[in-house]
Amino acid sequence: MSSIKIQKICCIGAGYVGGPTMSVIADKCPDIQINIVDINKERINLWNSPDLNNLPIYEPGLDKIISRCRNKNLHFSTDIEKNIAKADMIFISVNTPTKTKGLGAGKASDLKWVESSARQIAKFAEGYTIIVEKSTLPIRTAETIKNILITSNQNKYKEKDSLQRFDILSNPEFLAEGSAINDLENPDRVLIGGENKKAINALKDIYLEWVDESKILSTNLWSSELSKLIANAFLAQRISSINTVSALCEQTGADISEVSLAIGSDKRIGKYFLEAGPGFGGSCFKKDILCLTYICQHYGLSQVSKYWEEVIEINNWQKKRITNLVIEKLFGTISQKKIAILGFSFKGNTNDTRESPAIDICKELLEEDCYLSIYDPKVSVKQISIDLEKPCTEPNKIINQAGKWSFSRSIMDASKNADAIIILTEWEEFKTIDWSQIAVNMRSPSWVFDTRSIADLNEAKSQGLNTWRVGNG
Ligand code: NAD
Ligand code: UGA
């Protein structure tokens, strides 16, 4: 057992990682008081909303945990100073997006929010404090954080005192959105990188409340930081690989779902992450691979950098390939045609649209002067407007709204008078669409494009619809 017993945790960043991760820790460790802080007041207000349907993120099972723990040992606040001061462990769980300008723009991760968190900690922390990197970070970021803690505190503490007051651990998060609670409750592994065994054990003790010891891996700081980037790069690489094969299947008469099953049955390959689709989305795969390529270039490994860049290239190619294919099938032009988009989030069971393939695909279609009616069970009209950089228009029966889009509240509504339906997210309800009703609702000849292999296309076909499924030759 460690001799450091954690009683108060502060988590900086109440987002898709901070929110669910701290909720699960609170649920499993009732003796620990957890305060999640954020600079975004609106987000904190939503976390504190009495109506659990208003939580800022949708994640199955999260509402139940919030109702059990909120205002007991789980608190959401904008009072960063007070909550940092009283914590014995601080998780940094802030955003680390790709830099948009300056040195490394378009590749390097923007660490300004991590840096500001470190400065806040340096300023407000009191007594010995363990700092945990939860955000995904470039290798050797812990060194930067340590530097900030030491140097920005010169006036208050001597350098030696600052060194002893803090320990830094890397504890990357491997949850996937849509299954976050299950991933957190039953992780494949928990990774803790650090230098001080006592600090590592203090964090390990928290996880031991519900995770088997054999699944908790301790490494050095740099292995831990790098492993997170590499895990995402490998996962994304599998998707790009299977998406290239989907195109080959379409040309040759093979079927991607049969090929995935056949190759995935080999234990060495494994059956997960072999579903062809419209390309991977989400806030992390692209950003983390870009970060990896930047690191490789920094260390003079240009071949390695090029190798990983290709995973992103293929992802862009898949999105473009699908857009072009839709246009070709609709007689080479979609101008003045209405297309229903089913699903806008980057995957099922989340309201997150960051890097969703739907964004690029919809933008390209709108460029061709079609009219889109978009339906998603969880994404808001406001979010879609932000992503498409265009306001929503009122739905209109007359198809004269070239380059515009409207928001639909049902599949039926979206498909009314549409020439085509494109399924872009694997929401459960798309499995059971009643195609007999949809078929009479659309304009003929009508098409269904299923980029997620989720719909019952045999049924759609029997109702007279033309169908296309990714990877189906
Ligand atoms: P997010 O944007 O949803 O949340 C980050 C939050 O941090 C925001 O609400 C922001 O306002 C807040 N913040 C930023 N600077 C702050 C500061 N100085 N003080 C207080 N609050 C501050 O991001 P996310 O999706 O939760 O991702 C966070 C990190 O976790 C990223 O590094 C990401 O790569 C990593 N990660 C994400 C996932 C995922 O599925 N989203 C999974 C694993 C790891
Ligand atoms: C991913 C990883 O799976 C997590 O382990 C990691 O913690 C997280 O990134 C992160 O660092 O942010 P996430 O992006 O939430 O999680 O969701 P995934 O399930 O990985 O899906 C990513 C994208 O790949 C989605 O667009 C999804 O539709 C697509 N995908 C996934 C496929 O096209 N095919 C598949 O077989 C699997």
Side-chain angles (χ1 to χ4, degrees):
M1 279 293 280
S2 100
S3 53
I4 307 171
K5 178 107 182 92
I6 301 300
Q7 291 174 317
K8 290 195 180 77
I9 287 177
C10 172
C11 174
I12 307 180
Y16 282 86
V17 168
T21 309
M22 292 302 123
S23 298
V24 169
I25 296 181
D27 204 30
K28 303 291 181 186
C29 308
D31 294 337
I32 301 181
Q33 282 294 322
I34 301 181
N35 289 289
I36 312 184
V37 296
D38 206 296
I39 41 175
N40 184 337
K41 197 168 186 319
E42 193 187 335
R43 213 169 203 186
I44 291 295
N45 287 343
L46 290 172
W47 279 113
N48 283 322
S49 164
D51 181 355
L52 293 173
N53 290 320
N54 283 343
L55 294 179
I57 66 173
Y58 172 71
E59 195 59 67
L62 178 63
D63 51 352
K64 287 200 180 68
I65 301 184
I66 295 285
S67 71
R68 280 200 291 273
C69 302
R70 195 173 57 186
N71 299 330
K72 289 183 188 129
N73 67 329
L74 180 68
H75 313 270
F76 296 90
S77 160
T78 48
D79 192 342
I80 297 173
E81 175 173 349
K82 185 181 87 191
N83 287 304
I84 286 181
K86 63 184 185 190
D88 10 72
M89 179 175 272
I90 299 173
F91 285 79
I92 299 180
S93 195
V94 299
N95 36 324
T96 52
T98 306
K99 272 183 95 170
T100 51
K101 55 183 181 180
L103 187 67
K107 286 210 162 164
S109 294
D110 193 340
L111 297 182
K112 71 171 171 248
W113 292 276
V114 174
E115 191 177 326
S116 70
S117 301
R119 287 185 197 283
Q120 286 165 326
I121 296 169
K123 197 163 167 200
F124 304 127
E126 289 176 4
Y128 172 72
T129 311
I130 298 172
I131 294 154
V132 183
E133 296 175 339
K134 194 43 120 176
S135 298
T136 303
L137 300 168
I139 183 165
R140 299 202 79 87
T141 303
E143 204 165 38
T144 310
I145 295 178
K146 204 183 281 180
N147 271 335
I148 292 170
L149 293 175
I150 297 167
T151 52
S152 66
N153 232 2
Q154 275 163 348
N155 299 335
K156 205 161 136 196
Y157 298 95
K158 292 199 192 85
E159 186 168 319
K160 187 170 133 276
D161 293 342
S162 289
L163 268 175
Q164 287 167 351
R165 281 181 63 230
F166 297 109
D167 269 307
I168 301 175
L169 301 176
S170 159
N171 173 223
E173 186 46 62
F174 295 101
L175 69 80
E177 288 177 31
S179 56
I181 302 302
N182 185 50
D183 296 342
L184 287 160
E185 289 182 338
N186 306 292
D188 285 347
R189 78 312 210 174
V190 167
L191 184 53
I192 305 177
E195 286 163 347
N196 180 348
K197 199 82 193 136
K198 278 192 177 169
I200 292 174
N201 283 340
L203 180 57
K204 189 173 169 181
D205 284 348
I206 293 175
Y207 284 109
L208 281 173
E209 290 295 326
W210 77 96
V211 180
D212 194 86
E213 187 162 15
S214 61
K215 290 189 172 175
I216 304 179
L217 313 177
S218 304
T219 65
N220 78 29
L221 271 169
W222 321 126
S223 305
S224 175
E225 288 179 337
L226 185 60
S227 297
K228 172 64 200 179
L229 289 183
I230 301 301
N232 274 357
F234 268 60
L235 290 169
Q237 182 196 45
R238 275 174 80 92
I239 302 169
S240 278
S241 298
I242 206 70
N243 282 343
T244 62
V245 180
S246 73
L248 191 57
C249 286
E250 288 162 28
Q251 297 296 321
T252 55
D255 187 319
I256 195 67
S257 48
E258 293 174 356
V259 175
S260 290
L261 178 67
I263 62 166
S265 300
D266 184 329
K267 278 199 215 69
R268 294 168 304 174
I269 297 172
K271 62 182 177 184
Y272 299 107
F273 259 69
L274 284 178
E275 280 168 34
F280 58 77
S283 58
C284 295
F285 280 174
K286 184 174 160 197
K287 134 179 113 68
D288 292 345
I289 295 177
L290 287 170
C291 174
L292 180 62
T293 62
Y294 188 69
I295 292 168
C296 292
Q297 278 167 3
H298 172 81
Y299 289 105
L301 301 167
S302 60
Q303 275 307 114
V304 185
S305 178
K306 266 192 226 150
Y307 175 79
W308 289 108
E309 260 167 31
E310 202 53 36
V311 173
I312 297 176
E313 280 304 310
I314 290 292
N315 200 48
N316 293 335
W317 167 82
Q318 180 78 345
K319 288 184 271 191
K320 185 89 186 150
R321 181 175 92 75
I322 288 174
T323 313
N324 289 346
L325 187 143
V326 169
I327 299 168
E328 273 163 32
K329 298 275 188 206
L330 296 180
F331 308 122
T333 175
I334 55 170
S335 176
Q336 305 291 328
K337 288 179 182 160
K338 177 175 170 181
I339 299 179
I341 300 292
L342 301 190
F344 199 82
S345 57
F346 81 96
K347 65 182 284 200
N349 278 331
T350 178
N351 61 343
D352 195 350
T353 62
R354 289 178 291 182
E355 296 294 337
S356 177
I359 300 173
D360 283 347
I361 292 175
C362 288
K363 277 185 172 173
E364 294 259 354
L365 293 171
L366 288 170
E367 275 295 299
E368 299 279 334
D369 275 348
C370 73
Y371 168 47
L372 298 180
S373 54
I374 303 177
Y375 168 73
D376 187 290
K378 290 288 172 196
V379 179
S380 68
V381 61
K382 183 178 163 201
Q383 188 57 49
I384 300 175
S385 315
I386 294 169
D387 290 333
L388 295 182
E389 300 169 273
K390 265 186 183 195
C392 173
T393 57
E394 279 301 309
N396 193 334
K397 282 188 195 124
I398 307 157
I399 308 167
N400 62 356
Q401 306 212 33
K404 299 195 175 143
W405 71 277
S406 67
F407 185 70
S408 298
R409 300 210 173 268
S410 68
I411 300 169
M412 199 63 183
D413 184 23
S415 58
K416 206 171 181 71
N417 296 325
D419 297 274
I421 290 175
I422 312 177
I423 300 175
L424 289 178
T425 311
E426 73 283 26
W427 285 103
E428 200 58 27
E429 64 187 274
F430 301 157
K431 281 184 185 165
T432 52
I433 293 175
D434 181 348
W435 290 109
S436 62
Q437 284 195 28
I438 299 293
V440 291
N441 202 25
M442 293 175 74
R443 190 170 84 145
S444 289
S446 24
W447 275 90
V448 182
F449 297 93
D450 183 2
T451 70
R452 294 287 188 170
S453 304
I454 188 174
D456 183 351
L457 291 189
N458 285 333
E459 178 55 24
K461 222 180 281 179
S462 75
Q463 298 298 331
L465 297 168
N466 297 300
T467 62
W468 174 90
R469 173 161 66 77
V470 68
N472 183 18

